[in-house]
Amino acid sequence: GQQVMQIPQYQHVQEGEDFTTYCNSSTTLSNIQWYKQRPGGHPVFLIQLVKSGEVKKQKRLTFQFGEAKKNSSLHITATQTTDVGTYFCALNTGFQKLVFGTGTRLLVSP
Amino acid sequence: EAEVAQSPRYKITEKSQAVAFWCDPISGHATLYWYRQILGQGPELLVQFQDESVVDDSQLPKDRFSAERLKGVDSTLKIQPAELGDSAMYLCASSRDIRETQYFGPGTRLLVL
């Protein structure tokens, strides 16, 4: 089946620094979703990307879908302590069957 | 704001015992999903329902796991007998329809001793 690798596995930043997580697939993706999971919490949907080269922004978060639709990234500008959590990308393999990536755990120090 | 409800939130059991988890999706959501999330990993789909019908249970270990959604509303996931490797978070999610955004419940954290 499809596998989704995320890098890095873990990142620790100082508040105010930027953060980027990358999601890579071995196959072309129809679309990709991003979720955030706070420590002890459940995944919360952030966004879905569908088009090649698509870029979407949500306040300090910028999501990008690669031109070849095999990779995606999430960039957070000027991190805040509220950004702490694990960020997952998820492939939609069809009929909303999601295959989640390995996740990037973000820790932000004040 | 409507939420997916799950119970219990925590469950400790001994191996070989039976356990059951309950999920009540957001009202009106036709599609319901059960995921298993092992610590440090992403959620893995176990079973997907559309109304009362199973759409996908290819990843459900059917020798010990069962899931039902008899009236197409709430759902139960059962494990019998539980094994040590079943220790994980069991997440339920729902969506209005099969192509819509999924909303996750708080999960049931299972520890098998």
Side-chain angles (χ1 to χ4, degrees):
Chain A
Q2 283 181 301
Q3 293 193 346
V4 188
M5 298 302 298
Q6 278 186 255
I7 54 171
Q9 284 189 327
Y10 170 82
Q11 188 152 9
H12 184 181
V13 300
Q14 293 294 120
E15 192 171 25
E17 293 181 338
D18 292 356
F19 160 77
T20 305
T21 173
Y22 300 89
C23 182
N24 298 297
S25 169
S26 55
T27 59
T28 302
L29 308 171
S30 58
N31 64 67
I32 195 162
Q33 300 181 9
W34 285 91
Y35 289 77
K36 176 184 178 181
Q37 186 171 21
R38 294 182 187 274
H42 57 277
V44 175
F45 174 80
L46 295 176
I47 209 159
Q48 175 170 283
L49 304 173
V50 178
K51 299 177 183 176
S52 168
E54 188 170 18
V55 178
K56 288 188 176 180
K57 293 189 175 184
Q58 290 179 351
K59 297 183 181 179
R60 295 178 294 103
L61 276 61
T62 301
F63 304 84
Q64 189 163 4
F65 204 4
E67 292 290 342
K69 299 183 75 173
K70 287 187 174 182
N71 55 72
S72 181
S73 64
L74 158 59
H75 178 82
I76 302 178
T77 304
T79 55
Q80 299 176 357
T81 54
T82 53
D83 295 325
V84 165
T86 300
Y87 292 84
F88 291 99
C89 62
L91 316 181
N92 187 337
T93 62
F95 294 105
Q96 279 293 79
K97 180 177 179 179
L98 296 179
V99 175
F100 281 80
T102 48
T104 296
R105 185 179 165 202
L106 172 64
L107 182 61
V108 181
S109 294
Chain B
E1 182 175 303
E3 296 180 340
V4 176
Q6 288 189 248
S7 67
R9 294 292 305 276
Y10 304 92
K11 179 70 177 178
I12 300 175
T13 191
E14 293 184 343
K15 63 179 182 178
S16 80
Q17 296 298 304
V19 291
F21 314 130
W22 178 78
C23 171
D24 191 13
I26 294 172
S27 178
H29 279 199
T31 314
L32 185 146
Y33 311 79
W34 282 102
Y35 289 86
R36 175 172 59 188
Q37 186 175 24
I38 295 170
L39 192 63
Q41 300 182 17
E44 174 194 21
L45 179 69
L46 293 174
V47 62
Q48 178 182 348
F49 289 93
Q50 180 68 15
D51 299 311
E52 67 277 5
S53 300
V54 173
V55 173
D56 187 340
D57 63 356
S58 56
Q59 300 300 312
L60 189 71
K62 298 181 187 65
D63 57 335
R64 297 185 301 109
F65 286 65
S66 64
E68 60 183 17
R69 194 185 184 199
L70 294 176
K71 296 182 180 179
V73 180
D74 58 337
S75 176
T76 302
L77 178 69
K78 296 179 181 177
I79 308 175
Q80 182 173 19
E83 296 181 352
L84 296 178
D86 296 332
S87 294
M89 172 81 87
Y90 290 83
L91 292 160
C92 179
S94 71
S95 59
R96 278 189 300 184
D97 201 354
I98 208 160
R99 297 183 190 277
E100 301 285 327
T101 300
Q102 295 183 29
Y103 297 89
F104 284 80
T108 296
R109 190 173 294 280
L110 172 67
L111 178 60
V112 182
L113 302 176

